[in-house]
Amino acid sequence: MSLNGKVALVTGGAQGIGRAVVQSLLQSSAKVVMVDLNKALGEECKAQLDAEFGEGNCTFIECDVANGDALRDAFQSTVDQFGRLDIVINNAGITNEKDWEKTIQVNLTSVIKGTYLALEHMSKEYGKQGGTIINVSSMAAFLHSPHQPVYTATKHGVIGFTRAMADAAIQGDYGVRINALCPAFVDTPLLQSVEDEDNMGKFVKFKDDFKRSMTKFGVLQPSLIAEGMMRLITDTSLHGAVMKITCSKGIHFHTYEPMSA
Ligand code: NAD
């Protein structure tokens, strides 16, 4: 499906899953803004994408999503440059159990801020034309690991927040679809950081457990996560959905029991 005329903002877009999603969005003719902390990587990535897709389709904004003012400016610059905003992917994430408060800031607080900023630019509540938001969680929210307690907590938080916001969007008639995506292990640089004491602190001693899980469950390619993401973007029936992507079942959805007291 063509996304011609649509504008997307992807946090953590310079590498790994975010990079694969940026590529898919450009292939579908969307304009894309990559928001990332890593300036060197972001600029290199933009140069490669300009060569492949032509200049003027993709922009890089250096920004730490944990800095609320900088994130607000990144959203505003996107709208200033491209005139609108239709798709927001809150993807930037880290695994750092040593600086666990930073992990909460990046993986959860920034996803909440990114969602609120996206709504300011897309929701009918603010007189805007609607859009779609995808918040990146993880299968860690379902298969928790002793190796990553705070990472696990943030990914649970992303799902709870996303589902509640999806209900708010329906009741408030925001005209914005909000979904969560939960990949299993994906072959990106993030997976290397889990063996590092600087990142994992005292939990690094459980790294062999973690590596055994990777062998047991397998490791996905970022391109499959981008495929799931494109489905969430283009399938207008999906709202409040929790998409899981695993080696054994591919792209599928978590099902919840109806709420009862
Ligand atoms: P990655 O480390 O390969 O890439 C993350 C990108 O985010 C990098 O470009 C990095 O510079 C950027 N980033 C990090 N902190 C940032 C910040 N504060 N502000 C702006 N940008 C920042 O990671 P990935 O594997 O592509 O992970 C992307 C998302 O997918 C994360 O939310 C992660 O938790 C989630 N996820 C990853 C896996 C996996 O196995 N790789 C599995 C499930 C979920």
Side-chain angles (χ1 to χ4, degrees):
M1 183 181 161
S2 172
L3 295 174
N4 195 10
K6 303 286 185 196
V7 178
L9 181 153
V10 182
T11 70
Q15 176 180 286
I17 293 171
R19 164 78 204 250
V21 173
V22 167
Q23 183 97 12
S24 293
L25 286 162
L26 287 166
Q27 270 156 3
S28 296
S29 305
K31 305 281 187 207
V32 186
V33 174
M34 286 182 284
V35 172
D36 205 290
L37 186 63
N38 190 328
K39 185 167 187 262
L41 204 61
E43 285 174 348
E44 183 192 317
C45 187
K46 179 180 156 31
Q48 283 171 7
L49 293 168
D50 280 352
E52 190 174 347
F53 295 98
E55 286 194 21
N57 293 307
C58 171
T59 296
F60 167 63
I61 298 179
E62 181 190 0
C63 164
D64 180 348
V65 295
N67 177 338
D69 290 339
L71 189 59
R72 174 172 289 282
D73 289 348
F75 273 79
Q76 191 57 53
S77 304
T78 302
V79 175
D80 290 347
Q81 184 178 353
F82 290 116
R84 55 186 291 133
L85 182 61
D86 306 277
I87 300 159
V88 171
I89 301 181
N90 290 305
N91 162 76
I94 55 171
T95 175
N96 191 328
E97 297 296 322
K98 203 164 189 173
D99 191 353
W100 59 266
E101 284 164 307
K102 176 82 178 175
T103 296
I104 294 175
Q105 246 184 345
V106 175
N107 293 11
L108 184 57
T109 309
S110 304
V111 168
I112 294 171
K113 278 195 184 137
T115 301
Y116 288 161
L117 287 166
L119 289 172
E120 283 182 30
H121 289 283
M122 302 193 307
S123 170
K124 287 198 222 163
E125 264 203 319
Y126 294 90
K128 302 297 177 353
Q129 77 289 342
T132 186
I133 300 170
I134 298 164
N135 292 332
V136 178
S137 175
S138 166
M139 283 301 290
F142 296 98
L143 299 166
H144 61 264
S145 150
H147 183 247
Q148 299 179 296
V150 173
Y151 180 84
T152 303
T154 62
K155 296 304 185 181
H156 268 267
V158 168
I159 292 179
F161 171 72
T162 302
R163 295 184 72 222
M165 280 307 297
D167 285 354
I170 290 173
Q171 295 191 25
D173 191 25
Y174 295 173
V176 177
R177 292 186 300 108
I178 312 179
N179 294 293
L181 176 61
C182 303
F185 299 113
V186 188
D187 185 12
T188 71
L190 180 123
L191 276 193
Q192 281 134 37
S193 62
V194 300
E195 291 195 40
D196 190 347
E197 200 274 336
D198 273 353
N199 272 57
M200 306 318 291
K202 67 178 180 177
F203 298 107
V204 77
K205 68 176 175 224
F206 301 132
K207 73 177 179 194
D208 290 338
D209 262 16
F210 190 80
K211 280 159 76 181
R212 268 193 294 279
S213 294
M214 278 168 58
T215 308
K216 184 173 164 197
F217 295 112
V219 178
L220 299 155
Q221 286 308 307
S223 55
L224 184 66
I225 314 307
E227 192 183 319
M229 202 79 83
M230 293 308 284
R231 192 156 145 202
L232 289 172
I233 291 167
T234 54
D235 184 342
T236 53
S237 69
L238 296 172
H239 180 63
V242 176
M243 176 183 274
K244 293 166 150 179
I245 308 185
T246 62
C247 288
S248 61
K249 292 191 182 166
I251 296 173
H252 60 292
F253 291 90
H254 189 72
T255 50
Y256 291 90
E257 296 292 321
M259 274 200 273
S260 60

